[in-house]
């Protein structure tokens, strides 16, 4: 059986291919399209989506910011809106100081509780 070929980096990707590459369901990509106006794949007959190489890079960036760097949808929207002219730059991870403003108050309180517990555990370990 011949070995499966992967597409060129310059090839258009279907929503199924991009979803598989990112490890997310297809509906997540459709949701991102509704939240990030910069992500606009070509749509052909039957609303079939074809992601251009620039769309693929943007989807990968959105995925990294949301799932690895800890940004919220709103935070990524603000970053992309503020950096639309600087597409080639790497977006910074949120600073610790900016995290409280991005979090739900209950999540912020829980993180503070955990931080206190960790600080106490470290103090006990050093003693």
């Amino acid at each position: 059986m011949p070995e499966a070929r992967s597409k060129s980096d310059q090839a258009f990707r279907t929503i199924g291919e991009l979803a598989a590459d990112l490890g997310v369901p297809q509906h997540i990509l459709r949701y991102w399209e509704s939240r990030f106006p910069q992500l606009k794949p070509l749509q052909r007959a039957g609303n079939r989506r074809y992601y251009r190489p620039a769309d693929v890079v943007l989807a990968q960036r959105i995925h990294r910011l949301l799932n690895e760097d800890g940004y919220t949808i709103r935070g990524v929207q603000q970053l992309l809106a503020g950096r639309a002219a600087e597409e080639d730059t790497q977006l910074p991870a949120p600073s610790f100081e900016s995290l409280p403003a991005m979090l739900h108050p209950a999540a912020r309180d829980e993180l503070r509780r955990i931080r206190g517990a960790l600080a106490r555990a470290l103090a006990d370990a050093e003693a």
Side-chain angles (χ1 to χ4, degrees):
M1 181 171 202
E3 189 176 308
R5 288 189 193 176
S6 64
K7 284 189 170 182
S8 158
D9 288 342
Q10 298 307 310
F12 285 31
R13 304 240 190 287
T14 65
I15 191 168
E17 291 168 338
L18 183 56
D21 289 347
L22 295 175
V24 298
Q26 293 179 20
H27 72 270
I28 296 295
L29 290 172
R30 288 189 291 272
Y31 175 74
W32 289 352
E33 290 171 26
S34 73
R35 294 293 179 232
F36 304 106
Q38 303 89 339
L39 186 60
K40 287 198 174 274
L42 295 175
Q43 288 193 340
R44 297 289 185 219
N47 285 331
R48 290 183 56 97
R49 289 167 167 80
Y50 292 96
Y51 292 85
R52 297 168 285 231
D55 296 320
V56 171
V57 169
L58 179 58
Q60 290 168 338
R61 180 178 291 167
I62 291 168
H63 182 266
R64 186 188 75 246
L65 290 168
L66 291 171
N67 297 303
E68 296 174 17
D69 295 345
Y71 279 89
T72 62
I73 292 284
R74 181 79 175 133
V76 175
Q77 288 171 332
Q78 290 174 348
L79 282 170
L80 294 178
R83 304 249 180 160
E86 304 174 30
E87 289 181 7
D88 294 331
T89 63
Q90 190 80 346
L91 295 177
S95 67
F96 182 76
E97 292 76 26
S98 68
L99 279 176
M102 297 168 66
L103 294 174
H104 186 277
R108 185 174 43 245
D109 293 342
E110 179 66 8
L111 287 173
R112 285 187 177 134
R113 186 192 65 73
I114 292 169
R115 183 178 58 190
L118 288 172
R120 286 188 300 278
L122 283 173
D124 290 344
E126 291 174 355

